[in-house]
Amino acid sequence: MATILNLVLWFVAIWFILIVLVAAVLMIVDARRKRRAGDTDEVSFPRLPPISEKLGDSRITLYTYGRDLFDAMLAEIRGAQHEVHLESYIWKDDELGQRFKREVIAAAERGVKVHVIYDVFANLVVKSSFKRFPRSVQVMRHPWFTPWIFLLRIRKTGRDHRKILVVDRKVGFVGGYNIGSDYATKWRDTHMRVEGPLTWELNNAFVDFWNAHRKGAQPELVDTGDIEWEPRFKAHRNAPIHLSFPIRNMYLDAIDRASVRVWITQAYFIPDLDILAALLRAAGRGVDVRVIVPEISNHVLCDWLSRGFYSQLLRGGVKILLFQGAMVHAKTATIDGRWSTIGTANIDRLSLTGNYEVNAEVIDEGVAAMMDRIFENDCTATRELTLEEWSSRRHRARFSEAVLVPLRPLL
């Protein structure tokens, strides 16, 4: 028995060493590639102007270019009269980040109630002076570390990965864009603007998070409820502290219903077994299943973990489209010309069962038509990965994929 246990321990130790070595090599190679590529202001990818559709008494606008989005967000903050709720996973100390900081401070100085949330871990590299605000701005810093980790209370350790802006409870924004200059022109992402009564969904998401995590000195935010019920629009929120993960269930339900097409765009695509099976079942019954992912993302380990699923997906009839020329960071899907989602959650474990996330679900043909148009436009910047090409990859690539499999639950 002791011999078997020793063998198991040796096997685990050797595999752990291999994981560290493979991960280190991949990151070194990726760092060298980035240095060779250098930094450039010229990033070209197909994009559309903001497009809009009515949904009941509200209007939905979709943004696929950061500069258009940030101009709209800053204009809303500049025109705020009563309150600004701003939540961002990453908020960089660069030209655009400084503009956002100046506008929220200016709003607070003219009497607007301003509440800001950012994730401390995601902004560790941002200098501390940038993260200081005057007392007129109420700031919640979602902590980077909690001692609950030592007691394995994982549900109390989730990152705040959400991106929400709500102004005067009349206009709201949600989607994949963080705040930073590179995101304005160099990344391909998707964000949604909601104007009208449906803004309540995003405001309620912000208020609930603030009230659940505020410190004693911070004010409680009041939400008076919503008199308009619109079943076609819902802001689903993952809340690990409550073990609540509706975004994953939303995806599974929608994919299972698909009869024509499932078009997904993901920055980091590491599906769990249930989502993988749902996609393969859909493709097996003749549904056109396509997934756009970056050919090379900003996280090399995520790329390699994602590639570990390509063989199953390609053999099962799922089309994998590799985005060229820019980092595609969108977290979106559109199904059957009726159902769509735009939000902050990636299809990976961290987003679907680990982090605080928010995804808008929209069941409307007009919005789905906009999403289809965006997906088709993005397809012009992709190349399709074929099973023949994938099957001919080098043995060392196959070895690396196999070694890294234990990291899937962590990412």
Side-chain angles (χ1 to χ4, degrees), residues 370-385:
M370 292 195 296
M371 292 293 294
D372 287 348
R373 181 182 170 193
I374 290 170
F375 190 91
E376 289 168 345
N377 189 61
D378 285 337
C379 283
T380 64
T382 68
R383 70 176 188 89
E384 183 174 350
L385 178 67

Side-chain angles (χ1 to χ4, degrees), residues 83-95:
E83 64 182 16
V84 170
H85 294 161
L86 177 60
E87 183 175 3
S88 186
Y89 178 60
I90 295 173
W91 188 341
K92 289 188 175 295
D93 177 17
D94 55 21
E95 189 274 333

Side-chain angles (χ1 to χ4, degrees), residues 251-260 262 285 287 335-336 339:
Y251 266 112
L252 287 169
D253 181 69
I255 295 168
D256 281 347
R257 292 175 184 271
S259 61
V260 180
V262 174
R285 61 179 180 266
V287 175
I335 295 179
D336 286 356
W339 179 94

Side-chain angles (χ1 to χ4, degrees), residues 53-60 170 194-199 228-230 232:
E53 277 286 341
K54 289 279 289 182
L55 182 60
D57 294 328
S58 298
R59 176 167 291 277
I60 305 294
K170 295 178 180 179
V194 183
E195 186 173 5
L198 293 180
T199 302
E228 179 172 326
W229 290 60
E230 174 54 81
R232 293 176 293 172

Side-chain angles (χ1 to χ4, degrees), residues 36-71:
R36 287 196 302 269
D39 192 22
T40 176
D41 294 328
E42 297 298 325
V43 175
S44 177
F45 56 90
R47 57 182 185 265
L48 296 172
I51 49 179
S52 300
E53 277 286 341
K54 289 279 289 182
L55 182 60
D57 294 328
S58 298
R59 176 167 291 277
I60 305 294
T61 303
L62 302 182
Y63 296 86
T64 59
Y65 189 52
R67 182 172 289 164
D68 295 334
L69 168 70
F70 295 133
D71 286 347

Side-chain angles (χ1 to χ4, degrees), residues 190-352:
T190 302
H191 229 73
M192 170 191 286
R193 168 189 167 123
V194 183
E195 186 173 5
L198 293 180
T199 302
W200 179 86
E201 290 278 346
L202 301 180
N203 189 72
N204 181 249
F206 185 97
V207 168
D208 283 353
F209 186 91
W210 179 278
N211 288 341
H213 298 273
R214 69 188 179 93
K215 304 301 181 184
Q218 293 175 320
E220 181 176 4
L221 299 181
V222 177
D223 198 326
T224 57
D226 185 27
I227 60 172
E228 179 172 326
W229 290 60
E230 174 54 81
R232 293 176 293 172
F233 184 95
K234 179 69 178 176
H236 293 288
R237 296 166 277 164
N238 282 358
I241 196 170
H242 301 305
L243 297 179
S244 176
F245 306 105
I247 297 174
R248 179 178 180 274
N249 294 334
M250 173 197 75
Y251 266 112
L252 287 169
D253 181 69
I255 295 168
D256 281 347
R257 292 175 184 271
S259 61
V260 180
R261 59 181 175 270
V262 174
W263 290 351
I264 295 172
T265 304
Q266 284 288 307
Y268 317 112
F269 182 66
I270 310 173
D272 61 34
L273 293 180
D274 289 337
I275 291 180
L276 178 65
L279 292 172
L280 292 174
R281 285 196 304 269
R285 61 179 180 266
V287 175
D288 175 20
V289 182
R290 306 183 196 182
V291 182
I292 293 178
V293 293
E295 176 137 32
I296 301 175
S297 82
N298 62 321
H299 290 302
V300 64
L301 286 182
C302 289
D303 291 345
W304 280 84
L305 290 171
S306 180
R307 291 166 190 165
F309 295 96
Y310 287 0
S311 294
Q312 286 175 275
L313 291 165
L314 291 170
R315 291 194 184 101
V318 175
K319 295 179 180 177
I320 299 174
L321 306 176
L322 304 176
F323 197 84
Q324 310 291 300
M327 170 61 191
V328 61
H329 191 252
K331 300 93 167 55
T332 62
T334 180
I335 295 179
D336 286 356
R338 301 176 61 188
W339 179 94
S340 305
T341 186
I342 301 108
T344 69
N346 301 298
I347 296 182
D348 62 18
R349 191 214 65 84
L350 277 179
S351 280
L352 296 185

